[in-house]
């Protein structure tokens, strides 16, 4: 089976890994956003949602393991590609012409991804860890909304989500280009769908810190 | 007849050889707007030679945009600011009096600098040798149109075959990736019946050699398509990806 390993480590194979894990993460984000929307339903709606997740814990744990490995593959492979791609041009240009031939979303995918990663670590510590390892008696709605009252956390959340939107706007169409689905009939639609998806995710997630910071969830 | 001339400041990359450290040298020129970019460099070289100085080394051949020999990065853009042309087709009327123009060689690990603005692009030849060909019977000439090919397919193959192998895609890509070049070559054969016998072997071996030379991977920024003098589409990269996946699934090659 060495051909599988070798193929996945070729220039095109590494892109395929990025695309598959990227699509998996994009599907996860949809579910994540749907769950987060229960915050707008108030204390009971959110706490009931969390209780539901507690109820199906073994299933959630399996999903978490899969999700974690998808994240690791996406992040590890992305970083490796970034390093290798830097090495492909040891001496850069004195004049950078990239603004003239590329868009900001594709150019900055590594940077936006890196910032989202930093946010992910903080997010896991402040929310995921608290939810899982501090007993089920806690009022998680209050804990969550209190975090959004902290200005730096709300700001970090908002900025990270905005940059995630940049990342997704590039990633969505990029994944399908990598799959080889760049076709006259479908690709213009895929590109539009990717922008719509990125907008929904940005507005959906981004509205939460704004709402709870300014209105305190009242 | 007196022509109006424009005054420009050129900052040209000068580098003795692959090992030495290069730097920009400034040249003040007064040039006719009707002159081409390469003619302007010729003029500078004439002056340098008159003064017994080393002329600027750069490559060119046909000077009509079909051979792919010329290629300079002008103000950060391969083949300069005008889309869909090679450096040799760029005219000085596209610049304004007083402009400062930076002229650099194509930069990539796979394209080592030979001297000044001249780079070694033989890595692309090695990629072609790995699979950029078809097998044909020798002796008598085959009948024209003996194999029916739909017009749309023939056109698509021709669009891919427009690639002149200049390397601007590599120069433009932030990853110095050769995907547009290799995908154009894979596509022009994969689309046509004549390319079928080696179809999957071709893409496997061309990608393998491409990777060995240290070209980067594709980030789908599409800078290559924007800078390609022939406007070769990134759809070809998608096609190469498809071909590659199918080759990996279908081929007998287990190594």
């Amino acid at each position: 089976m060495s051909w599988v390993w070798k193929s996945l480590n070729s220039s095109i194979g590494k892109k395929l890994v990025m695309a598959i894990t990227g699509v998996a993460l994009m599907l996860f984000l949809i579910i994540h956003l749907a769950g987060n929307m229960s915050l707008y339903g108030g204390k009971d709606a959110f706490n009931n949602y969390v209780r539901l997740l507690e109820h199906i814990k073994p299933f959630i744990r399996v999903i978490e393991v899969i999700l974690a490995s998808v994240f690791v593959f996406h992040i590890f492979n992305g970083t490796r590609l970034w390093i290798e791609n830097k090495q492909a041009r040891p001496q850069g240009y004195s004049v950078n012409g990239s603004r003239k031939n590329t868009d900001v979303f594709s150019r900055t995918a590594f940077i936006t991804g890196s910032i989202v990663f930093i946010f992910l670590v903080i997010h896991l510590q402040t929310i995921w860890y608290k939810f899982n390892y501090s007993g089920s008696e806690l009022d998680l709605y209050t804990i969550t909304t209190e975090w959004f009252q902290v200005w730096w956390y709300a700001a970090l959340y908002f900025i990270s989500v905005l940059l995630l939107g940049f990342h997704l706007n590039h990633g969505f169409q990029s994944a399908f280009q990598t799959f080889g689905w760049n076709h006259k009939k479908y690709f213009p639609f895929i590109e539009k769908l990717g922008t719509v998806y990125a907008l929904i995710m940005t507005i959906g997630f981004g509205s939460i810190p704004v709402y709870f910071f300014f209105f305190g969830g009242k | 007849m007196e022509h109006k001339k424009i005054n420009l400041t050129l900052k040209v990359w000068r580098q003795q050889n692959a090992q030495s450290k290069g730097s920009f040298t400034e040249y003040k020129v007064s040039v006719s707007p009707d002159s081409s970019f390469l003619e302007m460099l010729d003029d500078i070289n004439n002056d340098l030679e008159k003064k017994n100085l080393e002329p600027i080394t750069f490559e060119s051949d046909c000077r009509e945009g079909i051979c792919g020999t010329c290629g300079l990065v002008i103000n950060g853009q391969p083949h300069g600011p005008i889309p869909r042309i090679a450096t040799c087709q760029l005219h000085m009327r596209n610049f304004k009096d007083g402009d400062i123009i930076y002229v650099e060689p194509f930069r990539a690990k796979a394209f080592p600098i030979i001297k000044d603005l001249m780079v070694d692009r033989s890595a692309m030849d090695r990629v072609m040798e790995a699979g950029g060909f078809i097998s044909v019977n020798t002796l008598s000439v085959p009948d024209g149109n003996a194999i029916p090919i739909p017009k749309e397919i023939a056109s698509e193959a021709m669009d891919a075959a427009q690639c002149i192998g200049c390397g601007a895609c590599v120069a433009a890509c932030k990853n110095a990736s050769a995907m547009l070049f290799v995908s154009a070559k894979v596509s022009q054969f994969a689309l046509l019946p004549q390319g079928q016998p080696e179809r999957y072997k071709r893409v496997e071996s061309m990608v393998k050699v491409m990777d060995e030379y240290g070209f980067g991977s594709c980030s789908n920024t599409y800078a290559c398509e924007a800078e390609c003098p022939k406007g070769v589409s990134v759809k070809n990269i998608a096609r190469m990806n498809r071909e590659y996946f199918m080759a990996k699934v279908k081929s007998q090659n287990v190594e």
Side-chain angles (χ1 to χ4, degrees), chain A residues 68-86:
Chain A
S69 51
V70 168
F71 263 113
V72 167
F73 270 108
H74 194 78
I75 293 163
F76 170 76
N77 219 40
T79 310
R80 176 175 157 211
L81 274 168
W82 183 77
I83 294 167
E84 285 171 357
N85 288 339
K86 283 277 160 222

Side-chain angles (χ1 to χ4, degrees), chain A residues 3 10-11 15 19 21 33 45 50 61 63 67-68 70 98 110 134 157 181 183-184 198 204 208 214 216:
Chain A
W3 66 271
S10 70
S11 54
K15 289 172 55 185
T21 53
L33 181 63
V50 176
R61 283 283 178 256
I63 298 289
L67 195 59
V70 168
S98 62
F110 181 76
S134 49
Y157 195 107
W181 291 13
H183 187 280
K184 214 176 183 172
I208 296 168
F214 287 107

Side-chain angles (χ1 to χ4, degrees), chain A residues 2-3 6-7 10-12 15-16 81 85 87-95 97 100-102 106-107 170 173-174 177-180 182 184, chain B residues 13 24 75-77 102 104-105 107 109 170-171 173 175-176 210-211 214 216-223 227 234-235 238 241-242 244-245 248:
Chain A
S2 75
W3 66 271
K6 276 186 190 158
S7 307
S10 70
S11 54
I12 298 179
K15 289 172 55 185
L16 181 68
L81 274 168
N85 288 339
Q87 287 167 345
R89 177 168 293 131
Q91 186 172 9
Y93 292 108
S94 304
V95 182
K100 292 167 193 154
N101 52 32
T102 53
S106 61
R107 250 195 340 262
H170 167 68
Q173 57 83 24
S174 184
Q177 161 78 6
T178 297
F179 291 147
N182 190 337
K184 214 176 183 172
Chain B
W13 188 261
F24 285 104
N75 285 339
Q77 284 185 282
Y102 283 83
E104 289 177 82
R107 294 196 190 277
K109 186 182 161 200
V170 179
C173 178
N175 307 334
M210 172 177 81
D211 288 354
S217 292
C218 179
S219 289
N220 299 331
T221 68
Y222 309 138
E227 297 295 356
V234 293
K235 282 193 173 69
N241 293 347
R242 291 202 296 271
Y244 187 74
F245 302 144
K248 286 298 171 192

Side-chain angles (χ1 to χ4, degrees), chain B residues 10-151:
Chain B
L10 288 181
K11 294 193 187 264
V12 181
W13 188 261
R14 302 298 307 262
Q15 184 170 337
Q16 201 45 241
N17 53 48
Q19 287 74 40
S20 66
K21 202 173 162 343
S23 64
F24 285 104
T25 304
E26 195 176 291
Y27 300 94
K28 298 247 182 223
V29 290
S30 179
V31 65
S32 158
D34 298 327
S35 161
S36 80
F37 203 90
L38 298 184
E39 282 164 352
M40 176 185 67
L41 292 180
D42 290 337
D43 285 345
I44 295 173
N45 279 348
N46 279 338
D47 282 349
L48 290 173
E49 278 174 3
K50 270 182 213 156
K51 294 175 196 158
N52 258 336
L53 293 168
E54 187 77 18
I56 303 162
T57 303
F58 65 93
E59 279 186 282
S60 76
D61 192 10
C62 75
R63 298 212 176 187
E64 52 187 5
I66 54 171
C67 74
T69 309
C70 65
L72 305 172
V73 176
I74 299 161
N75 285 339
Q77 284 185 282
H79 295 306
I82 309 298
R84 305 284 169 270
I85 54 166
T87 305
C88 59
Q89 297 165 292
L90 178 67
H91 284 79
M92 300 319 293
R93 67 180 79 98
N94 296 302
F95 296 91
K96 290 193 306 291
D97 192 61
D99 275 358
I100 300 169
I101 305 170
Y102 283 83
V103 189
E104 289 177 82
F106 285 180
R107 294 196 190 277
K109 186 182 161 200
F111 291 170
I113 292 177
I114 297 169
K115 193 176 181 184
D116 296 340
L117 303 171
M118 187 191 203
V119 297
D120 180 2
R121 286 170 287 186
S122 55
M124 296 170 92
D125 298 333
R126 301 292 91 77
V127 173
M128 285 306 277
E129 284 165 12
F133 51 80
I134 57 164
S135 300
V136 289
N137 293 324
T138 52
L139 299 174
S140 64
V141 178
D143 286 343
N145 295 325
I147 309 165
I149 300 164
K151 167 72 176 74

Side-chain angles (χ1 to χ4, degrees), chain A residues 118-137:
Chain A
I118 294 167
F119 168 74
L120 176 71
V121 174
I122 297 169
H123 182 62
L124 285 177
Q125 162 63 24
T126 51
I127 307 282
W128 180 82
Y129 184 79
K130 270 257 156 60
F131 279 31
N132 282 279
Y133 297 101
S134 49
S136 53
E137 302 309 310

